[in-house]
Amino acid sequence: MKHIIVGTAGHIDHGKTALVKALTGIDADRLKEEKQRGITIDIGFADLMIGDSQFGFVDVPGHERFVKNMLAGAHGLDLVMLVVAADESVMPQTREHFDICSLLHVKSGLIALTKSDLVDEELLELARAEVEDFVAGSFLESAPIIAVSSRTGSGVEELKQALRNLGSRIETKQTDAVPRLPIDRAFSIRGFGTVVTGTLVAGELKQGDDVEVLPAGVKTRVRNIQVHGHDGDRAFAGQRTAINLQGVNLDQVERGSLLAPAGRLHATSMVDARLDLLPTAPRPITQRARVRFHHGTAEVMARVVIIEGSGVRGQVSGSENEKLKTRNQERGSIHPGASEIVQLRLEQPISALPGDRFIVRSYSPQVTIGGGVIIDPLPQKHRIKDAIALNYIERLEGATLAESLPVFVAMSGARAMSQSEIAARTGATDEQIERATNKLLADGRVLPVTKSPLVLISRESYQSLAKQVIETLSEHHRREPLSLGLSREEVREQVFGQVRPEIFRAVIARLSEEGAVAAERESLRLASHRPALTGADDASKQALEAAFKSSGFQAGTLEEIASAAGVKSDLARKLFTLLTAERRVVRIGDFVFHVDCINDLKSRVRERKQINPRIDVAVFKEMTGGLSRKHAIPLLEFLDREHITRRVGNEREIL
Ligand SMILES: Nc1nc2c(ncn2[C@@H]2O[C@H](COP(=O)(O)OP(=O)(O)OP(=O)(O)O)[C@@H](O)[C@H]2O)c(=O)[nH]1
Ligand SMILES: [Mg+2]
């Protein structure tokens, strides 16, 4: 079954509500005040099966003062039914509603010439001609124009047929999309609690789903679903949906909120977008102009920051400079009929996705002046003259996920991008992300920082980080040729200060895999690095080693041995690091032993096992030529650690 949403549009009193009633039998005016005044104030709903397609009607008010309500119903339309009264023809809100539908990219629709019973044939044809003229060159150019009378019923069947034809050409909506329900009403039903309604614009919602009210971030669950007024267990894109939310207070939701899967989408206070100004807009939009921004069912105030890519860069001389300046001044505003890349700074947060359409109205007087499409719902703050940002945004415009993903990853730079960030910024499902990611990984444009959870970094950012690591290590080796390497922590701080730790680990792992960097437990060095010793240093190193060797078990501290060998303590420390790394000496507690001495000890202890598998401290002291307790105990503990002995009470078992 197809689900199709039809919106009415047109001037006040032209017969929209009467026509919906003639078609469906349902009076969409539900408010008392509407019935009293005979006008529609807020959006109303009706539905009708035509063939095997389910048509949901959104009836909007025509009154100039209620265009903001009309806008809450104008998103998510498959078809528009533009209502023009034959006796009045095209009027101001015919134009405004029509502009809104064009700006929202409603794909198709029809024109109903209503009140045909009130005019003669000649006037009807005149109205038809005027309407044809009016829609020429627009998305309704070849749309059916059908004369109807809600009073006599003439033309209503023909209209149904036309709707059926148009409906058959509408693509079935994909359900493998992240569901979004822009909320147009929220109310409370005794015994049930809070109910929200809206047109489900994407995906599928079912009973029990964990959902979130955005931008407030209220996490809740779908308790019950009604579709077109009937209980059901799920709702599909293109259906008028009412949802009973579990444990949510009425003051936590309102028109303008969005219902989406919990944790999937983010609230945002800035969006990058393309903004088109209507040719009929009364004046240009200037830099930082304050406008009314309508998106989904939300209306928020926004500042328009026009992003200029051709800023004056560097030294430009004389007339060249003047020319650039004038051009920039011109670029600093959007003229009627023109279109620019903008960043909209919102005064209250919303939740949006790339490809979402929106409408912009002037602050005062409240008239529709333009609209456009969201390109990046979660951008960084851009400066007015930002050629780099502009370049990114232009690459994102109209891009498929496979095209936009590498751009988003590149924009995130060294911060890299996680699966959940990708999901919130693109609105893609996990499967879609996986497919796009696999392709990108295969051609090497992005690299995985981690695969599960997925974190992606661009090749350029990886290379730049890798280069900085290499440079940092080279610099360290140059400054301290005797040092074996730089501590991991220092490298992390110097190069990866601002980014998440897994990126540091991934870059180092990759560099060591590639053989560029040798990663020790505590330190990092270039794989090619060999500590460089001058002749004199080498002699000192040998003297130091000899001193360690001759002290045998009567080991001293590094300072003592260094002074015995006549090596300055600064140099001794560096040489000691080298000797340790080369495993010529071993530090045990405060003392340093030569490796020969330790090896000798190990074999003597092992041999001893044949005589007696147990030794105590006294025997051990004897074996080592009368070692003092301060040497013996650390050595025994060392042997325990090396699994040569094991402590059993006051004795050691030789293993
Ligand atoms: N004679 C005649 N009167 C009609 C017809 N359709 C609507 N009307 C009358 O026109 C008036 C306005 O009709 P509505 O359907 O409320 O007009 P609307 O476009 O919904 O008005 P708003 O919602 O306020 O913008 C009512 O008094 C209707 O009875 C028609 O086909 N013929
Ligand atoms: Mg009405």
Side-chain angles (χ1 to χ4, degrees):
M1 186 165 71
K2 256 191 195 173
H3 311 291
I4 297 158
I5 299 285
V6 186
T8 60
H11 198 71
I12 185 166
D13 240 11
H14 275 203
K16 297 179 289 298
T17 306
L19 185 57
V20 168
K21 184 158 188 204
L23 277 166
T24 67
I26 298 168
D27 182 2
D29 281 346
R30 63 200 146 78
L31 305 175
K32 205 163 95 195
E33 197 189 344
E34 287 177 328
K35 305 219 195 258
Q36 277 167 0
R37 291 169 64 182
I39 63 164
T40 304
I41 294 169
D42 203 358
I43 45 179
F45 312 98
D47 63 282
L48 179 69
M49 286 295 297
I50 309 178
D52 56 1
S53 294
Q54 183 181 43
F55 286 78
F57 291 87
V58 180
D59 181 39
V60 305
H63 196 298
E64 155 182 37
R65 273 189 43 220
F66 305 136
V67 175
K68 62 179 269 156
N69 291 344
M70 178 269 176
L71 280 163
H75 70 95
L77 299 186
D78 297 304
L79 299 173
V80 62
M81 194 157 72
L82 183 64
V83 170
V84 182
D87 60 341
E88 280 196 345
S89 192
V90 175
M91 297 290 280
Q93 268 61 56
T94 321
R95 294 178 194 283
E96 186 165 16
H97 287 192
F98 171 77
D99 283 341
I100 287 168
C101 293
S102 304
L103 288 166
L104 291 177
H105 280 203
V106 178
K107 293 232 164 47
S108 73
L110 52 76
I111 298 114
L113 271 183
T114 50
K115 306 196 183 181
S116 62
D117 56 298
L118 293 184
V119 294
D120 58 21
E121 197 59 29
E122 206 178 326
L123 260 181
L124 189 66
E125 285 318 305
L126 190 65
R128 186 187 292 274
E130 276 184 24
V131 165
E132 267 172 12
D133 216 36
F134 175 61
V135 299
S138 79
F139 73 105
L140 288 180
E141 165 139 49
S142 48
I145 301 175
I146 299 161
V148 290
S149 165
S150 302
R151 181 148 302 168
T152 66
S154 103
V156 172
E157 268 317 303
E158 198 190 330
L159 188 66
K160 267 190 203 170
Q161 277 314 314
L163 285 171
R164 184 186 190 141
N165 284 342
L166 290 171
S168 69
R169 277 181 247 146
I170 288 171
E171 282 174 39
T172 314
K173 294 178 187 74
Q174 290 168 348
T175 44
D176 62 338
V178 172
R180 287 195 295 161
L181 184 87
I183 294 170
D184 49 36
R185 285 170 69 208
F187 49 91
S188 177
I189 296 182
R190 198 184 267 268
F192 280 93
T194 299
V195 173
V196 296
T197 68
T199 302
L200 187 59
V201 291
E204 181 185 329
L205 275 176
K206 55 183 188 309
Q207 223 173 34
D209 279 354
D210 289 316
V211 290
E212 181 176 359
V213 179
L214 289 158
V218 178
K219 300 249 168 59
T220 170
R221 178 168 294 176
V222 174
R223 187 151 76 183
N224 265 306
I225 296 190
Q226 274 197 353
V227 170
H228 293 284
H230 301 287
D231 281 330
D233 59 358
R234 59 189 61 215
F236 300 101
Q239 285 187 317
R240 285 293 311 166
T241 307
I243 295 201
N244 180 205
L245 294 174
Q246 191 168 300
V248 171
N249 287 331
L250 194 53
D251 59 9
Q252 292 176 297
V253 283
E254 57 188 352
R255 171 174 289 181
S257 302
L258 178 82
L259 197 69
R264 189 84 199 174
L265 304 181
H266 293 175
T268 181
S269 295
M270 273 185 286
V271 295
D272 288 351
R274 173 167 291 282
L275 175 58
D276 303 318
L277 204 56
L278 285 169
T280 52
R283 53 178 174 272
I285 286 187
T286 52
Q287 199 58 271
R288 294 184 190 282
R290 194 159 180 251
V291 296
R292 295 168 193 276
F293 172 78
H294 295 260
H295 167 262
T297 53
E299 178 194 5
V300 299
M301 298 301 300
R303 295 259 176 211
V304 180
V305 173
I306 305 163
I307 309 293
E308 301 167 20
S310 54
V312 184
R313 275 161 203 281
Q315 278 310 104
V316 193
S317 61
S319 66
E320 193 58 19
N321 198 7
E322 281 313 305
K323 254 198 298 189
L324 277 172
K325 261 195 200 153
T326 1
R327 200 168 83 214
N328 280 325
Q329 269 158 19
E330 275 170 14
R331 290 209 56 165
S333 54
I334 311 174
H335 291 275
S339 160
E340 291 286 351
I341 298 288
V342 299
Q343 180 161 73
L344 296 162
R345 308 257 171 86
L346 313 174
E347 293 179 15
Q348 273 118 43
I350 59 155
S351 178
L353 286 179
D356 285 356
R357 315 278 329 174
F358 60 87
I359 294 294
V360 164
R361 307 187 82 218
S362 55
Y363 178 65
S364 175
Q366 295 188 30
V367 288
T368 302
I369 54 172
V373 62
I374 286 169
I375 299 171
D376 184 356
L378 293 164
Q380 301 274 308
K381 194 169 187 170
H382 306 310
R383 286 168 289 115
I384 285 172
K385 289 186 172 54
D386 193 337
I388 295 169
L390 190 65
N391 178 271
Y392 275 129
I393 300 166
E394 281 171 351
R395 282 164 63 195
L396 288 173
E397 190 174 14
T400 63
L401 179 64
E403 292 160 348
S404 68
L405 188 54
V407 182
F408 281 128
V409 173
M411 285 168 95
S412 68
R415 292 185 316 276
M417 205 174 185
S418 68
Q419 167 99 19
S420 67
E421 287 165 333
I422 295 169
R425 203 150 173 192
T426 62
T429 63
D430 290 341
E431 296 77 52
Q432 289 163 341
I433 293 172
E434 194 186 326
R435 244 177 288 139
T437 302
N438 287 342
K439 248 182 84 192
L440 286 177
L441 291 176
D443 66 22
R445 279 198 288 166
V446 302
L447 304 172
V449 173
T450 56
K451 281 199 164 149
S452 170
L454 182 70
V455 177
L456 298 176
I457 191 167
S458 71
R459 171 164 291 275
E460 292 80 63
S461 296
Y462 165 75
Q463 280 168 342
S464 139
L465 287 169
K467 190 164 158 244
Q468 289 177 63
V469 170
I470 302 283
E471 280 170 5
T472 305
L473 292 178
S474 308
E475 172 62 19
H476 174 74
H477 293 327
R478 200 184 55 70
R479 260 189 295 112
E480 301 215 21
L482 281 186
S483 147
L484 269 183
L486 192 56
S487 82
R488 274 174 184 269
E489 196 40 37
E490 229 162 295
V491 177
R492 200 188 61 74
E493 248 168 47
Q494 281 188 34
V495 182
F496 298 84
Q498 304 301 316
V499 304
R500 42 184 140 205
E502 57 265 38
I503 294 171
F504 169 62
R505 287 197 290 271
V507 172
I508 298 303
R510 213 179 158 92
L511 281 172
S512 68
E513 219 169 85
E514 290 168 358
V517 163
E520 311 284 350
R521 213 151 56 93
E522 295 296 333
S523 71
L524 301 171
R525 65 181 165 86
L526 293 182
S528 57
H529 172 68
R530 296 283 172 276
L533 288 183
T534 61
D537 289 344
D538 201 31
S540 301
K541 184 182 162 204
Q542 282 176 25
L544 198 63
E545 185 182 345
F548 281 123
K549 194 163 178 169
S550 68
S551 64
F553 287 122
Q554 304 297 333
T557 62
L558 175 58
E559 280 68 30
E560 288 161 7
I561 303 284
S563 88
V567 180
K568 283 212 191 78
S569 65
D570 249 15
L571 180 59
R573 259 195 298 281
K574 288 176 188 166
L575 294 172
F576 170 70
T577 317
L578 280 183
L579 287 169
T580 313
E582 290 168 5
R583 308 204 195 291
R584 303 303 300 154
V585 297
V586 183
R587 182 195 281 272
I588 298 171
D590 288 338
F591 306 106
V592 181
F593 299 88
H594 193 270
V595 69
D596 291 352
C597 179
I598 293 295
N599 286 340
D600 176 47
L601 175 67
K602 285 180 180 173
S603 52
R604 274 203 269 158
V605 171
R606 284 202 187 98
E607 274 164 27
R608 170 93 197 171
K609 190 175 178 180
Q610 268 128 44
I611 305 167
N612 187 344
R614 298 218 162 190
I615 51 172
D616 58 16
V617 178
V619 175
F620 185 69
K621 278 183 178 172
E622 198 181 295
M623 272 174 66
T624 48
L627 264 190
S628 72
R629 207 179 159 79
K630 75 170 181 180
H631 282 118
I633 299 297
L635 271 174
L636 272 169
E637 285 169 354
F638 169 75
L639 291 177
D640 290 345
R641 282 199 300 279
E642 296 277 299
H643 302 294
I644 291 168
T645 55
R646 189 176 65 196
R647 188 169 179 164
V648 184
N650 280 333
E651 291 188 332
R652 250 79 183 181
E653 181 189 351
I654 302 168
L655 299 172

